[in-house]
Amino acid sequence: MAGYEDRFDASTYVDDESVHLFRADRYGQDDEDEVWMAESVWHRIRLIAAAYSLHLLPVLDGSTDPVFLNSLQTATLVDELFFINAVVDDELISAQVRSIDRLALGRSHGASKDPIAIEFP
C-alpha cells in the first residue's frame, strides 16, 4: 500500500471537478437536497460497477446535460452503490454511499417525476 495511501484521503481530490447529485423533485434546494462528489471518486465508483457488470452506474459516465433518474433508476442506483460499498474497503466510497442514500430517501415535493438528477462537470 505504500505510495497509494493518498487515494483514500479526501484532500487529494479537493481540486477535482465535482459531480453534483440533487433532488429534482423538490421546490428549492438546501444542503440536504444535494451531494457533491469529486469526479475522480465518481469514476472510481463507476468503473468498479463496470467491473462487476452492474447496469446503471457504468452508463453514467458524464454528459453535458443533467441526467434525471426516475424512481426505479434511483432505487437501482442505491442498490448498486450498496453492493460496491460491501465489496470495497474504501471510506471515500462509503461516505458517498451514505450521502446518496440519505438523498434518495428524502421526501418528494412533486416538483418533478424524477427524484434524482446528476450534473457532470
Side-chain angles (χ1 to χ4, degrees), residues 43-56:
H43 287 305
R44 181 185 308 175
I45 290 169
R46 195 178 59 72
L47 293 170
I48 292 168
Y52 282 99
S53 300
L54 302 184
H55 299 288
L56 180 63

Side-chain angles (χ1 to χ4, degrees), residues 4 24 37 42 49 56 68 74 84 86 90 93 107-108 114:
Y4 298 105
M37 181 186 316
W42 176 262
L56 180 63
F68 292 87
T74 298
I84 290 168
D90 185 331
I93 289 175
R107 190 173 64 84
S108 174
D114 300 317

Side-chain angles (χ1 to χ4, degrees), residues 43-104:
H43 287 305
R44 181 185 308 175
I45 290 169
R46 195 178 59 72
L47 293 170
I48 292 168
Y52 282 99
S53 300
L54 302 184
H55 299 288
L56 180 63
L57 280 164
V59 301
L60 299 174
D61 58 354
S63 169
T64 56
D65 296 320
V67 174
F68 292 87
L69 303 180
N70 64 34
S71 296
L72 182 58
Q73 291 167 323
T74 298
T76 300
L77 174 71
V78 170
D79 287 346
E80 290 183 4
L81 287 169
F82 274 115
F83 172 79
I84 290 168
N85 193 43
V87 299
V88 177
D89 183 17
D90 185 331
E91 182 51 38
L92 285 176
I93 289 175
S94 294
Q96 295 302 330
V97 168
R98 287 188 300 271
S99 295
I100 295 169
D101 185 49
R102 176 191 42 78
L103 183 71

